[in-house]
Amino acid sequence: MDLALLRTFVAVHRAGSFTRAAALLGLSQPAVTSQIRTLERQLGRPLFLRRARGVVPTTIGDELAHKAAPHLDALVGIAETGLDEHISRTLHLAGPPEFVAERLLPALIGPTGEDGPPPPLRASFGNDEEILEGLAAGHYDLAVTTARPRGALLNATPLCDEEHVLVAAPALAAAAATTDGARPGIGSAHGTTTTPGNPGVPTRAPGDPTRKPNGPAEASGGTAGASEGTAGASGGPGRASGDPSVPPVPLSPEEVRARLDRLPVVEVHESLPFVSRFWSSVFDARPTAASGAVVVPDLRAVLACAVRGAGLAVLPRYLCAPALEQGTVVSLYEPDVPPLRTYFLVVRTGTLGLPHIGRAHERLQRAASAWS
């Protein structure tokens, strides 16, 4: 059996389309169609069923692909290994601009190890849909996305999780407070009252009119509450507003959200994807802002705008950690379970045997183990 026919068959099986397989193989669509028909005649069985949007394999087609694909991938790997000794293959990489700049490029261009020097590199940016389409069409060798691709053409490996943090400039965070003395959880340096063991939980100051009753006497306005109020009013030892002996009362998530909804928003898109995801995960609600005060399609620019006080922002912790340490932004709210987003390392199925792709894939996985 002609190995070229099997190679074309496996490409069509993975791509689910004669057109896409032709682009990957560098052939015309009629040539691919002719090769598949030749193979079907040799086997005496149909391998694909034609559909309006591509092809689906028959049972025989699936069985043949399962048996043939690993061996074809191994042969390609052997051939490319020999080629790699004489020719340095360029690695075409794609992903979100911030993640490529802050994570991927330093990992690939850093000091060399046992896997040798990095290959020549070309990087492209885009959203998940654009990146996956480009990878499937053969424009890229390796991609990082936050969407797991479907189908047999692309193979995805979880790379890392990123934690999202709600941040704002200190002055804007302080402005989120109302006149009752409560503050968002921005740290004691800004006059904030926080709960022990959780500095990110906003609290009501003692005497806050929104503070919920602690007991029957206080709730009903009984003698205990009255005596405390009288003592406080006269300057005595009672629990007046601001008495440091009174433990702070944490704000409820609803009260926190109400305060945060007053602030302007900095985002990467008009649909507020990061803020909406945070609000949905943490508050089980949608933000009240219809659009951002500033919209810029790069998280590094979002951070720069947040530092300048343009609005609150939801950012990956790895990206805003230096600003948090320097105090140019502060965390507005630290939920017990922060929102996470998973990144996937994606290649076309069968290409990990190519040395320049396989080495980069392994290098990024090693680097990701230190990104948590």
Side-chain angles (χ1 to χ4, degrees), residues 182-203:
R183 299 291 188 270
I186 57 175
S188 58
H190 302 282
T192 301
T193 307
T194 58
T195 56
N198 191 351
V201 177
T203 60

Side-chain angles (χ1 to χ4, degrees), residues 94-96 127-129 131-132 143-149 156 342-346:
N127 58 42
D128 286 346
E129 182 178 358
I131 291 170
L132 292 176
V144 172
T145 68
T146 58
R148 183 191 288 273
T342 301
Y343 282 98
F344 297 94
L345 197 54
V346 190

Side-chain angles (χ1 to χ4, degrees), residues 184-251:
I186 57 175
S188 58
H190 302 282
T192 301
T193 307
T194 58
T195 56
N198 191 351
V201 177
T203 60
R204 303 186 197 87
D208 184 338
T210 65
R211 187 177 178 221
K212 296 179 180 179
N214 288 330
E218 183 176 347
S220 62
T223 56
S227 62
E228 287 178 1
T230 304
S234 62
R239 293 187 175 186
S241 174
D243 186 342
S245 66
V246 180
V249 180
L251 291 172

Side-chain angles (χ1 to χ4, degrees), residues 121-356:
L121 183 64
R122 301 292 182 269
S124 300
F125 303 144
N127 58 42
D128 286 346
E129 182 178 358
E130 295 168 342
I131 291 170
L132 292 176
E133 287 182 357
L135 181 63
H139 301 317
Y140 314 127
D141 300 312
L142 184 150
V144 172
T145 68
T146 58
R148 183 191 288 273
R150 298 180 178 179
L153 179 60
L154 302 179
N155 180 46
T157 303
L159 182 63
C160 65
D161 291 330
E162 68 174 16
E163 176 188 344
H164 286 179
V165 188
L166 179 63
V167 301
L172 186 64
T178 58
T179 56
D180 58 28
R183 299 291 188 270
I186 57 175
S188 58
H190 302 282
T192 301
T193 307
T194 58
T195 56
N198 191 351
V201 177
T203 60
R204 303 186 197 87
D208 184 338
T210 65
R211 187 177 178 221
K212 296 179 180 179
N214 288 330
E218 183 176 347
S220 62
T223 56
S227 62
E228 287 178 1
T230 304
S234 62
R239 293 187 175 186
S241 174
D243 186 342
S245 66
V246 180
V249 180
L251 291 172
S252 69
E254 292 76 15
E255 291 168 317
V256 173
R257 177 171 59 84
R259 292 168 185 255
L260 296 175
D261 276 336
R262 303 169 188 169
L263 301 181
V265 171
V266 184
E267 259 284 10
V268 296
H269 191 268
E270 294 288 349
S271 62
L272 311 182
F274 282 83
V275 171
S276 294
R277 188 182 301 113
F278 190 97
W279 255 240
S280 176
S281 175
V282 175
F283 303 122
D284 193 24
R286 293 182 57 83
T288 60
S291 63
V294 177
V295 176
V296 55
D298 189 302
L299 289 174
R300 293 164 296 185
V302 169
L303 173 60
C305 293
V307 168
R308 292 298 186 113
L312 64 80
V314 175
L315 295 166
R317 185 173 290 277
Y318 80 84
L319 192 62
C320 63
L324 287 169
E325 293 176 1
Q326 296 164 9
T328 53
V329 295
V330 294
S331 175
L332 291 173
Y333 186 61
E334 296 280 353
D336 293 335
V337 181
L340 299 176
R341 185 167 67 162
T342 301
Y343 282 98
F344 297 94
L345 197 54
V346 190
V347 298
R348 287 188 304 280
T349 302
T351 61
L352 281 179
L354 305 181
H356 67 302

